[in-house]
Amino acid sequence: MSTTRPLANDPLTSAWAAGLRSSLRAYARTHLPDAMVPAHFVVLPELPKLPNGKVDRGSLPPLTAEETPESAFVAPRTPVETQLARIWQDLLGLPKVGVETSFFDLGGDSLTVLQMTAQVREIYDVRLDLRRMFEDPTVAQLARMVSSQADPTVTGAGNPRGVTSEAMTADAVLPADIVPEDGAVPASAGPYRTVLLTGGTGYTGAFLLRELLDRSTATVYVLVRADGPEQAGERVLGNLAEYGLLRDGDQERIAGVPGDTGRPYLGLTKAAYHELAAEVELIIHNAAISSWIVPYAKIKPVNVFGALEVLRLACRKRVKAVHFVSTIGVYPGHEGERSWPEARLTEVDHVVGGYRQSKWVADSLMLQARDRGVPAHVYRLGAITGSQTTGACSPDTFINHLIKGCVQLGAYLDHDLLLDLVPVDFCAATVVHTALSGGRAEAVFNVPSAGSVGMNAIFELIVAYGYPLRRLDYRSWYRELAAAVERGEENELAVYLPLFGADQPAEEVGYLGSRPDFRTDNLRAALEGSDITCKPVDRELFDLYLDYFVSSGFLPAPPGGTARPQTQWSSS
């Protein structure tokens, strides 16, 4: 019988487990006497149970050297992490240091912490928050603290969550096996009997699925993490209901497929994979990790490898058109005016952060597959915001976290930044209408807002709604935010502190003075004759969003007032 641990052959899960052990150990050290802090933490997929439901202690795996913190090794992923790991190695006399392993588990103590912080200050000229360091004493956390303050020319990283341009370019080479297989049924131009949707249990995915059900008679296969088809279907229907999009009879046309875009064969058995390859005629690939604070290395399995697995599926049994949901974030940041045509990506420098870089790579791979005979289309969407008809909006986007954080703080940052906010239902209708049209010659579609709006203007709309927010210069705003987090106050932006330096935000937040012009010739051609239009972000639309946030409990009602009655987004 094999003694290999369940997590041993899954690097992504192993990295997650290592981080969890480190977090648990830090929490225990904070709340328990030293003598009571467990020496080992073992992460299991689930606890073994007796027939009566109690934990079967006799079946728990024994502690082995493999489970010790030192062996849960996650290698450095950025130049900053590499440099910091070397400092730790020298101080602690170790041959290697994992970026998710606790400093104290590696043999560090209060004295070596002070020595280490002194070296870091000398190299990077930064002030370290030791309280945050003790809460999560890892290279990864230290790298985030350093990179949020240090001059990029000193860190040599360009961006702590990203990788080099050379690494991106290397990843953006389509493997040789991604080519339509011999004897594959040619691609259909529609009407389509079957469609595969990835990312169907997310916010944008819910609206894409609604459009597919409304604009076609196709059976929609939805790939979703689940224990089986029944649970997969329940998750999909529950997600539709959450945004008021579930209709009678939907379950008859939705087939939940338990799988995972971040795994080979999309997490399916080979039999299920080949059955899906033979049945599906069209793919809309929307699944992605969209967090701005997750490093490229952790996003890559889903956002890059997942794109490759979708393209491989598109080449098997029958050729399938792939419609890929990308982002205008794949365009490099630039000050001043710059026009971006609907064309292949040619510039890699100044595409920053793990999320944007991973989408740049996947975007490039899609268009290379098109050269090999896969009808691939790319939609570069603006920052997706709420429905323009109901106001239904996911709270889990950076701009919405920023809004809530500023409401909690009672102040917003004076920042000369243009935002391209695009209603989610407009995006979904655009993608699905174009995909179902079939056989379009255009490969790339820019889908920006009806008109860019300044960040200050957004907050002025929020003030007009009734929230008494003070307008502060960036440095004053940052000091108030950092102080609130330091005091332990609840703030939505606490997790985003790595994106905010003392003097300016990170590049992911946006380039000051940037005035991009996104060309939409292909988009206009695709939507010609349809009823699909995009509303501008104005007082009426933003009131609709804020009404939804108050009604759903994401935001408190403004002082002295309540949200207007909100009934449109309830399920019908």
Side-chain angles (χ1 to χ4, degrees):
M1 181 177 176
S2 172
T3 57
T4 303
R5 290 184 300 126
L7 305 180
N9 296 317
D10 186 348
L12 187 64
T13 304
S14 295
W16 174 85
L20 175 61
R21 283 193 289 267
S22 179
S23 298
L24 289 172
R25 189 168 289 104
Y27 183 86
R29 186 177 288 110
T30 302
H31 292 81
L32 297 174
D34 290 343
M36 297 181 66
V37 176
H40 303 287
F41 290 85
V42 180
V43 179
L44 301 175
E46 59 183 353
L47 290 172
K49 298 291 183 62
L50 295 168
N52 62 8
K54 295 184 178 180
V55 175
D56 183 359
R57 296 179 181 274
S59 297
L60 290 171
L63 287 172
T64 66
E66 191 176 19
E67 293 287 1
T68 64
E70 292 82 357
S71 66
F73 180 76
V74 180
R77 300 156 296 201
T78 68
V80 177
E81 288 184 348
T82 300
Q83 176 68 32
L84 294 173
R86 290 196 190 106
I87 294 174
W88 287 28
Q89 287 172 233
D90 292 341
L91 276 174
L92 303 174
L94 298 174
K96 65 178 183 178
V97 167
V99 300
E100 297 289 357
T101 305
S102 167
F103 184 78
F104 302 105
D105 293 330
L106 294 170
D109 54 28
S110 57
L111 177 61
T112 48
V113 162
L114 296 176
Q115 293 171 335
M116 180 267 293
T117 54
Q119 288 192 36
V120 172
R121 282 197 297 269
E122 182 177 353
I123 293 172
Y124 293 111
D125 189 26
V126 296
R127 296 176 59 189
L128 296 179
D129 182 344
L130 285 180
R131 188 184 71 83
R132 287 175 60 196
M133 182 63 198
F134 275 94
E135 288 176 352
D136 184 9
T138 62
V139 166
Q141 166 68 354
L142 184 59
R144 289 190 286 269
M145 293 167 62
V146 167
S147 300
S148 67
Q149 301 179 56
D151 185 336
T153 61
V154 176
T155 65
N159 182 281
R161 292 156 293 279
V163 294
T164 64
S165 299
E166 292 77 14
M168 288 172 61
T169 303
D171 282 348
V173 176
L174 193 67
D177 68 302
I178 298 181
V179 61
E181 65 183 9
D182 293 339
V185 176
S188 170
Y192 299 97
R193 298 178 301 106
T194 52
V195 178
L196 172 66
L197 172 66
T198 70
T201 53
Y203 172 53
T204 306
F207 284 84
L208 287 167
L209 179 54
R210 182 71 265 152
E211 291 290 339
L212 283 168
L213 295 171
D214 290 347
R215 293 178 182 271
S216 77
T217 59
T219 297
V220 184
Y221 293 88
V222 184
L223 189 75
V224 54
R225 291 188 181 95
D227 292 334
E230 182 177 353
Q231 186 188 70
E234 290 173 353
R235 286 197 62 198
V236 174
L237 295 174
N239 191 56
L240 283 175
E242 180 177 351
Y243 296 108
L245 299 175
L246 184 63
R247 307 288 183 263
D248 290 339
D250 284 347
Q251 64 272 18
E252 298 173 7
R253 291 177 51 204
I254 296 172
V257 179
D260 187 343
T261 51
R263 296 182 179 275
Y265 291 97
L266 298 173
L268 306 173
T269 64
K270 288 190 178 181
Y273 178 87
H274 290 303
E275 182 179 348
L276 196 66
E279 186 67 20
V280 167
E281 298 177 337
L282 175 74
I283 301 174
I284 296 181
H285 180 39
N286 171 63
I289 297 174
S290 57
S291 172
W292 289 7
I293 59 175
V294 179
Y296 180 87
K298 289 190 175 182
I299 282 181
K300 183 177 176 179
V302 171
N303 291 14
V304 176
F305 292 158
L308 292 175
E309 288 303 310
V310 165
L311 288 170
R312 287 191 174 97
L313 182 74
C315 294
R316 305 295 175 256
K317 304 295 184 181
R318 63 168 65 244
V319 179
K320 308 157 192 67
V322 178
H323 295 262
F324 174 61
V325 178
S326 187
T327 169
I328 59 173
V330 298
Y331 293 119
H334 280 279
E335 292 184 8
E337 297 182 0
R338 181 71 186 272
S339 180
W340 298 108
E342 295 162 299
R344 293 171 185 261
L345 300 170
T346 58
E347 297 183 38
V348 63
D349 292 337
H350 300 293
V351 178
V352 296
Y355 169 65
R356 291 178 178 174
Q357 289 183 340
S358 69
K359 298 298 275 190
W360 187 97
V361 171
D363 191 308
S364 301
L365 293 169
M366 289 288 162
L367 297 181
Q368 290 175 51
R370 185 180 176 89
D371 294 337
R372 298 185 188 176
V374 179
H377 305 264
V378 172
Y379 302 81
R380 296 172 187 156
L381 310 183
I384 298 177
T385 187
S387 164
Q388 61 187 7
T389 55
T390 69
C393 191
S394 170
D396 195 21
T397 67
F398 173 74
I399 185 63
N400 292 336
H401 288 302
L402 179 64
I403 289 171
K404 183 172 182 178
C406 289
V407 168
Q408 291 170 321
L409 192 65
Y412 69 93
L413 61 165
D414 184 355
H415 205 52
D416 177 26
L417 180 67
L418 281 185
L419 300 174
D420 262 274
L421 302 180
V422 193
V424 64
D425 42 0
F426 169 73
C427 292
T430 295
V431 173
V432 171
H433 167 79
T434 307
L436 294 177
S437 298
R440 295 205 67 90
E442 303 92 351
V444 178
F445 303 89
N446 284 336
V447 189
S449 64
S452 300
V453 60
M455 183 181 288
N456 286 349
I458 292 294
F459 280 106
E460 287 167 5
L461 293 175
I462 295 170
V463 171
Y465 186 81
Y467 293 102
L469 305 184
R470 293 165 293 126
R471 178 170 170 173
L472 300 177
D473 65 88
Y474 177 80
R475 292 184 180 183
S476 298
W477 176 85
Y478 174 79
R479 284 195 298 270
E480 286 202 13
L481 175 63
V485 173
E486 177 73 19
R487 291 191 300 270
E489 294 180 10
E490 182 179 353
N491 192 283
E492 198 79 2
L493 290 173
V495 70
Y496 286 101
L497 276 180
L499 292 180
F500 296 102
D503 297 318
Q504 63 182 16
E507 292 173 305
E508 288 100 319
V509 177
Y511 273 74
L512 288 178
S514 177
R515 298 293 183 267
D517 171 34
F518 302 105
R519 300 291 300 277
T520 57
D521 303 303
N522 293 348
L523 178 68
R524 289 198 303 272
L527 298 184
E528 186 177 1
S530 75
D531 59 351
I532 301 171
T533 58
C534 182
K535 289 185 178 180
V537 175
D538 55 16
R539 173 69 185 273
E540 179 183 3
L541 186 60
F542 227 80
D543 277 358
L544 191 64
Y545 295 158
L546 294 172
D547 284 347
Y548 178 82
F549 281 149
V550 173
S551 298
S552 64
F554 178 66
L555 288 179
T562 58
R564 298 174 304 187
Q566 177 62 277
T567 57
Q568 288 179 292
W569 54 273
S570 61
S571 180
S572 59

